Amino acid sequence: MTDPILDIENLSVRYRGATEPAVRGVSFSLGRERLGIVGESGSGKSTVGRAILRLLDSAEITADRMQFEDVDLLNASERQMLKVRGRRMSMILQDPKFSLNPIQRCGDQVAEAFRTHVRASKAEARAKVIEMLNAVQIRDPERVYQLYPHEVSGGMGQRIMIAMMLLTDPDLVIADEPTSALDVTVRLQVLNILDRLVHEHGIGLIMISHDLNLVRNFCDRVIIMYAGRVVETLAASDLDNAQHPYSRGLLAAQPRIGGSRGPLPVLERDDSWMQPEVRS
Amino acid sequence: MKPIAVKDLCMSFGAVQVLHDVSFDVAAGECFGLVGESGSGKSTVLRCMSLLQGQWTGEVSIGGVRVRDMPLNDRCRMVQMVFQDPYGSLHPRHSVATVLSEPLKIHGLDRANERMAQAMIDVGLPVDFLDRFPHQLSGGQRQRVAIARALILEPDVVLLDEPTSALDVSVQAEILNLLSRLRTDKGFTYIMVSHDLSVVDHMCERFAVMQSGRIVEILPREAIPTNAARDPYARELIGASLAYERAV
């Protein structure tokens, strides 16, 4: 792969007070592509995302290499990180209800995120925000700008989050379960908007999800994590041919429309899955 | 096994009417689904049926008897509910044994230890887990305890409010298998609220699509793969689920 945006080798994260690391020996690199990280709750997928953004100040993070473009994430000072976070890499969180400030107008929050990183007058920022709200297909951006988060629906809130995160034109976006809190009818809309913007701006995307269907449709490559380790890395189109019993178990456990309706295959966990990955 | 009939169920929170003339029938031993987006009133229907919400009009009857006419204890023995979030629906400082023994005490049932042990076996948990507290259990184990709590009174009807949406697919598979097995073994009638049509397709014979407090269409499960819905909203909902599942 030429020109990786992010290169991670042997990342381990141990939370303070924990005996076992939450993430161990995770390595991957990311170009201008869409990478999915899947696993069950507790598999360490969100921890990887947070470690990349250096949001875990109390955890012990070790790695052989953590390079984001020209920034060494392992040794960068907090001052440097402030310039990176939100500007060059940003994160879309799960639930807009909890990630937007409830007592600030939606538009003002987006503008604030922009003006933190880019020198611009209030009027310029406002114009940029309106343009971006348009780009995430909000029909009446002037009106939505004035609304408070409780006045917008979940799907609209998540589009506002996407607008906020993409406005500074980052190179890397980490989306942590971006649509789990949304209804299925709006889920696809939001994903398509995110997908189009990521494509147009040439952004590297890390999509963290428990939903195999989602990563199959919206990612190029998929990393499957179990108990803090990567058990398998494969192209999203090859997901049905996954080799690892854990990946296969996850796929089989998903009920399908028009499926057999017999008992669903249940995952039989195996201690050997704690071993490092199989590459395919 | 008891059939359920819901007729012209209307319900308001203050000036806002949240359910408009909701009517449907569920055959004895059937699993009936309620789907719709958040805020469409699916959970409220269950809360009205179990009289957790009392200020509704219309008629709900189970086995031919109106729920309003049933004495409290009979009603609770007949209708039990399993909630969405196993982290929120169990008391954090009550052990599993306390959780399970409370309904037995209220209803004055004998052989409490035997019944508790049987309920644990029914939901596939080791009997010695009775001494555990919720924080010592995983999400799937907690949901099993919540199901054990519902079935220990030997109800006829179990109302399932998104029983697996807080769980991983691997754990969801275990819980869905458990619910299917219990339905065959004990002859439960289920009403299952879900936003996931693949779960509804797996579990339910028929389902109702709700939008803004109304049932817009009642469909058999066979209507999902071909999207045979006539109502435009129901078509949109099924279409979105199919598109989501089938790749874009």
Side-chain angles (χ1 to χ4, degrees):
Chain A
M1 188 188 318
T2 55
D3 177 31
I5 299 172
L6 184 72
D7 192 12
I8 293 195
E9 255 170 60
N10 203 15
L11 169 71
S12 294
V13 182
R14 193 164 63 91
Y15 284 105
R16 188 161 58 189
T19 47
E20 291 286 304
V23 169
R24 40 195 144 183
V26 170
S27 307
F28 62 91
S29 67
L30 177 85
R32 302 206 175 266
E33 59 174 336
R34 304 166 301 170
L35 176 75
I37 303 184
V38 231
E40 294 170 283
S41 44
S43 60
K45 53 194 194 307
S46 293
T47 306
V48 170
R50 276 151 211 270
I52 294 167
L53 275 163
R54 282 263 307 268
L55 292 172
L56 305 165
D57 40 332
S58 66
E60 189 184 294
I61 299 175
T62 56
D64 295 344
R65 185 177 151 83
M66 260 180 104
Q67 189 76 24
F68 168 67
E69 297 181 331
D70 57 336
V71 187
D72 176 7
L73 295 174
L74 274 177
N75 301 311
S77 67
E78 189 54 29
R79 271 178 79 98
Q80 277 177 289
M81 282 309 294
L82 284 176
K83 289 198 183 124
V84 172
R85 232 185 259 132
R87 173 74 185 85
R88 295 171 56 189
M89 60 169 144
S90 56
M91 190 169 203
I92 298 167
L93 297 162
Q94 180 171 0
D95 195 338
K97 274 205 284 287
F98 301 113
S99 42
L100 291 172
N101 183 347
I103 55 167
Q104 209 184 3
R105 293 183 194 278
C106 292
D108 289 340
Q109 301 185 36
V110 183
E112 183 188 352
F114 182 65
R115 293 186 72 214
T116 306
H117 297 288
V118 181
R119 188 187 286 270
S121 73
K122 280 195 175 160
E124 282 165 3
R126 190 188 158 93
K128 280 288 273 186
V129 171
I130 302 270
E131 188 189 318
M132 196 66 206
L133 291 179
N134 240 328
V136 293
Q137 292 174 16
I138 289 177
R139 247 163 284 160
D140 189 357
E142 298 276 353
R143 187 180 66 87
V144 173
Y145 191 101
Q146 297 297 333
L147 296 178
Y148 285 97
H150 70 270
E151 297 174 303
V152 302
S153 65
M156 177 111 63
Q158 202 59 307
R159 281 185 268 171
I160 292 168
M161 277 292 287
I162 292 172
M164 186 192 287
M165 292 307 147
L166 297 186
L167 195 52
T168 54
D169 211 0
D171 291 326
L172 172 64
V173 170
I174 300 171
D176 190 354
E177 307 259 6
T179 54
S180 314
L182 305 181
D183 286 314
V184 66
T185 38
V186 290
R187 202 176 277 176
L188 270 180
Q189 284 173 16
V190 170
L191 285 168
N192 284 327
I193 290 168
L194 180 63
D195 197 51
R196 181 172 53 81
L197 291 171
V198 163
H199 193 72
E200 280 171 9
H201 294 241
I203 297 169
L205 175 72
I206 297 180
M207 178 89 84
I208 297 168
S209 179
H210 65 273
D211 189 337
L212 288 155
N213 268 323
L214 190 156
V215 294
R216 185 206 303 268
N217 298 336
F218 288 94
C219 294
D220 304 313
R221 245 176 354 124
V222 182
I223 287 178
I224 295 166
M225 287 188 69
Y226 178 74
R229 278 187 199 284
V230 174
V231 294
E232 192 161 4
T233 308
L234 70 177
S237 51
D238 286 344
L239 207 55
D240 282 326
N241 306 322
Q243 297 298 311
H244 197 278
Y246 175 66
S247 324
R248 300 177 71 93
L250 275 188
L251 282 165
Q254 172 73 42
R256 292 194 187 280
I257 290 175
S260 72
R261 286 147 197 169
L264 294 162
V266 169
L267 204 55
E268 301 287 345
R269 285 155 212 279
D270 192 325
D271 287 342
S272 68
W273 297 355
M274 304 286 197
Q275 304 308 312
E277 73 180 296
V278 188
R279 274 192 191 272
S280 58
Chain B
M1 287 212 269
K2 295 242 166 69
I4 304 167
V6 176
K7 200 155 175 279
D8 298 333
L9 183 63
C10 292
M11 152 90 182
S12 302
F13 287 118
V16 187
Q17 190 169 356
V18 292
L19 293 180
H20 304 263
D21 299 316
V22 171
S23 304
F24 58 89
D25 292 293
V26 184
E30 189 183 356
C31 180
F32 186 81
L34 283 176
V35 300
E37 34 188 286
S38 40
S40 59
K42 0 182 242 308
S43 298
T44 309
V45 171
L46 297 193
R47 297 180 66 87
C48 289
M49 294 179 66
S50 54
L51 281 173
L52 288 173
Q53 299 286 357
Q55 65 279 37
W56 44 268
T57 60
E59 211 168 276
V60 176
S61 50
I62 296 171
V65 186
R66 285 203 299 233
V67 288
R68 286 221 194 259
D69 297 342
M70 292 180 194
L72 175 68
N73 273 12
D74 291 4
R75 191 179 76 227
C76 293
R77 286 215 50 183
M78 194 174 286
V79 186
Q80 282 289 316
M81 197 152 166
V82 176
F83 297 92
Q84 174 173 6
D85 183 2
Y87 297 86
S89 61
L90 296 176
H91 194 299
R93 300 190 56 168
H94 283 182
S95 68
V96 175
T98 314
V99 167
L100 295 185
S101 63
E102 204 151 357
L104 296 176
K105 249 182 255 161
I106 292 168
H107 292 270
L109 296 179
D110 56 349
R111 300 181 291 119
N113 288 333
E114 208 177 299
R115 283 174 194 265
M116 285 183 341
Q118 187 56 46
M120 293 297 272
I121 293 165
D122 284 343
V123 298
L125 287 175
V127 176
D128 57 3
F129 272 34
L130 281 169
D131 296 328
R132 294 209 182 187
F133 286 87
H135 71 268
Q136 295 168 312
L137 303 172
S138 70
Q141 288 168 342
R142 285 182 215 214
Q143 199 60 307
R144 284 171 194 264
V145 172
I147 293 169
R149 174 175 61 186
L151 68 85
I152 201 163
L153 288 175
E154 298 161 359
D156 296 296
V157 174
V158 182
L159 306 177
L160 305 162
D161 190 357
E162 308 230 13
T164 58
S165 55
L167 307 173
D168 285 314
V169 277
S170 47
V171 183
Q172 168 173 284
E174 293 171 21
I175 298 293
L176 293 181
N177 289 347
L178 168 66
L179 290 171
S180 301
R181 177 168 62 76
L182 290 174
R183 180 157 74 114
T184 326
D185 292 357
K186 315 242 171 200
F188 291 150
T189 306
Y190 285 149
I191 296 184
M192 183 176 201
V193 164
S194 181
H195 63 264
D196 187 342
L197 273 177
S198 55
V199 171
V200 169
D201 182 64
H202 182 76
M203 294 290 291
C204 305
E205 282 91 16
R206 293 184 309 139
F207 65 99
V209 180
M210 291 191 70
Q211 185 191 24
S212 338
R214 290 189 173 81
I215 289 187
V216 296
E217 195 162 2
I218 295 178
L219 293 159
R221 62 158 45 135
E222 290 77 18
I224 301 177
T226 54
N227 197 356
R230 275 196 299 273
D231 178 80
Y233 174 72
R235 280 193 73 81
E236 184 193 338
L237 184 76
I238 297 173
S241 303
L242 288 173
Y244 189 67
E245 176 156 315
R246 279 197 189 143
V248 181

